Amino acid sequence: MKTVKIAFIGVGAISGIYLENITKTFQEIEIIGVCDLIRERAEKAVEKYSIPKLYETMYDAFADEEVDIILNLTRPYEHFDVTKAALEAGKHVYSEKPLAATLEEGKILVELANEKGLMLGGAPDTFMGAGIQTCRKLIDDGYIGTPVGAAAFMICHGHESWHPDPEFYYKHGGGPMMDMGPYYITALVNLLGGVSAVTGVTKTSFDQRIITSQPKCGQIIDVDVPTYVTGIMQFESGAVGTIFTTFDVHYNGQARFEIYGSKGTLFVPDPNTFGGPVRLLRPEQGEVMEVPLTFDYKENSRALGLADMAKALQTGRPFRPSYTQTYHVLEIMETFQKSSDAGKTIQLESKYQRPAPMLNNPIHGILD
């Protein structure tokens, strides 16, 4: 079977792990070309990974008949324009999270993909890793009984102390919910199913941030987005979940991520990773037990979702990180803010069905 050819649009910080994994792990996809507004980045990628083509503009990549899928690794507020142009050019698109900076933009992209019969989906793909898939297996097999609730917390003090270019985290399309929320909410809907309604309360604790990392140390960032977001989710199943994301709080390590059931509690690993630990509390045991991971891809496997999209393109089967998931997650995140502004619970419009669980393939790097 021929490999599916990928063109990168954007070769920034997140691109490194994609470059590594596509060239060294996933055997059914290959990089045909790269493009970046900062040409030097693209040149370095071409040299280091022996990539055949360097595109002058993204439109050159869209016009390349060898390209099967566009990988959109631009900044969040740029996702819409890049994905829209790629779809209009007839290319399938896999985008970094979020699908778009607003739900209105996401809806336009979904309608365009459907109109043209193209695949559209994207990150995060951490839900396909060994950690979340093991958790799903435990829930589906009844180890915690009937799920009744969940709690997920992402607590930190922002990115300006370590990121080389942190400003976009505090601009349109950024903030803790749009940046980190996709990992947590994607994991939650994969474990518990779709969400029917949400309630949210949000605020911006600090109007400005001082960059203390290099090379922009001392620069001031004006904060344009909420940085303290609390949400309640009513799942279609009847379970109720709480999520809290913030860039305003000093905190050491991962906060809790737990699924509560009628017969036990599941402690879910950091959904920004692919592995464990997975821990289970059952009253019969009286103590928390670590559960062995029962699926592949416990290491940093970004591009796993892209490989899944490519496999679906080759075989015709559904692909797991499709727009039905990324759009539902986007609606949940945006509706927290709408709920906070309106002071009421808001019903969601999108519907969501969990994708098929992962199947272990004896050959690492080749999907089912």
Side-chain angles (χ1 to χ4, degrees):
M1 186 176 292
K2 294 194 304 182
T3 56
V4 174
K5 293 179 173 57
I6 312 299
F8 281 50
I9 306 300
V11 196
I14 192 63
S15 69
I17 190 62
Y18 279 94
L19 290 162
E20 284 289 311
N21 287 340
I22 294 173
T23 55
K24 298 179 181 178
T25 299
F26 297 110
Q27 302 176 36
E28 297 174 299
I29 53 178
E30 66 172 307
I31 307 168
I32 187 66
V34 294
C35 178
D36 195 282
L37 291 174
I38 301 175
R39 183 184 172 87
E40 182 182 2
R41 292 177 178 174
E43 290 173 344
K44 288 181 178 179
V46 165
E47 180 179 359
K48 182 175 180 179
Y49 295 98
S50 301
I51 297 170
K53 301 180 183 182
L54 192 161
Y55 302 109
E56 292 296 330
T57 73
M58 66 180 186
Y59 298 102
D60 295 321
F62 302 159
D64 187 348
E65 294 183 357
E66 286 195 88
V67 173
D68 297 305
I69 298 174
I70 294 294
L71 175 59
N72 183 355
L73 300 183
T74 59
R75 289 168 291 191
Y77 60 84
E78 297 169 324
H79 286 178
F80 172 74
D81 288 337
V82 174
T83 297
K84 182 172 181 288
L87 291 171
E88 288 174 337
K91 299 300 186 185
H92 307 286
V93 180
Y94 185 95
S95 174
E96 252 302 325
K97 48 78 183 170
L99 171 64
T102 68
L103 189 64
E104 181 180 359
E105 289 179 348
K107 187 174 184 179
I108 292 171
L109 296 179
V110 167
E111 290 176 347
L112 181 58
N114 281 332
E115 174 188 323
K116 290 186 168 290
L118 295 168
M119 288 185 175
L120 171 65
D125 53 5
T126 46
F127 77 95
M128 299 169 63
I132 302 300
Q133 288 295 309
T134 297
C135 289
R136 173 169 173 173
K137 178 71 172 171
L138 291 168
I139 293 172
D140 291 352
D141 288 353
Y143 278 83
I144 64 168
T146 301
V148 297
F153 292 74
M154 194 296 298
I155 305 173
C156 73
H157 205 268
H159 298 14
E160 63 271 21
S161 65
W162 61 269
H163 197 282
D165 188 22
E167 185 174 10
F168 73 90
Y169 288 103
Y170 299 96
K171 299 300 181 180
H172 177 61
M177 181 57 71
M178 294 296 281
D179 176 47
M180 294 300 294
Y183 296 107
Y184 289 80
I185 297 173
T186 298
L188 283 166
V189 297
N190 270 273
L191 297 176
L192 299 176
V195 173
S196 59
V198 305
T199 306
V201 178
T202 75
K203 69 170 184 172
T204 303
S205 299
F206 310 105
D207 293 331
Q208 291 184 324
R209 301 283 183 134
I210 300 175
I211 300 176
T212 57
S213 60
Q214 295 296 337
K216 298 185 176 181
C217 184
Q219 292 187 19
I220 303 295
I221 301 172
D222 292 322
V223 179
D224 298 336
V225 293
T227 52
Y228 195 102
V229 182
T230 299
I232 298 173
M233 295 161 286
Q234 299 175 21
F235 289 87
E236 297 279 1
S237 65
V240 176
T242 300
I243 186 169
F244 170 50
T245 66
T246 184
F247 284 164
D248 299 340
V249 175
H250 294 285
Y251 202 84
N252 182 26
Q254 183 202 357
R256 73 182 191 271
F257 188 172
E258 302 163 353
I259 307 292
Y260 311 119
S262 60
K263 296 181 180 180
T265 295
L266 186 61
F267 299 88
V268 181
D270 184 347
N272 191 22
T273 66
F274 288 80
V278 173
R279 296 179 297 142
L280 175 66
L281 174 63
R282 294 265 304 199
E284 303 91 332
Q285 299 293 330
E287 61 182 3
V288 176
M289 303 176 296
E290 185 165 338
V291 180
L293 301 182
T294 54
F295 290 85
D296 197 2
Y297 303 106
K298 63 183 178 181
E299 66 286 339
N300 189 340
S301 299
R302 279 181 171 80
L304 178 58
L306 178 62
D308 191 80
M309 177 189 253
K311 189 72 170 201
L313 180 61
Q314 290 175 318
T315 65
R317 69 157 169 81
F319 71 104
R320 295 173 175 94
S322 74
Y323 73 76
T324 57
Q325 177 168 283
T326 56
Y327 183 81
H328 189 62
V329 169
L330 179 60
E331 184 178 12
I332 292 168
M333 295 191 298
E334 183 170 297
T335 306
F336 288 138
Q337 184 63 52
K338 290 180 179 178
S339 169
S340 182
D341 293 341
K344 65 179 182 180
T345 299
I346 296 179
Q347 300 291 317
L348 300 187
E349 295 182 0
S350 62
K351 299 296 181 182
Y352 173 78
Q353 294 291 327
R354 296 189 303 168
M358 293 291 285
L359 298 176
N360 284 322
N361 191 312
I363 303 176
H364 186 69
I366 295 180
L367 274 66
D368 61 279

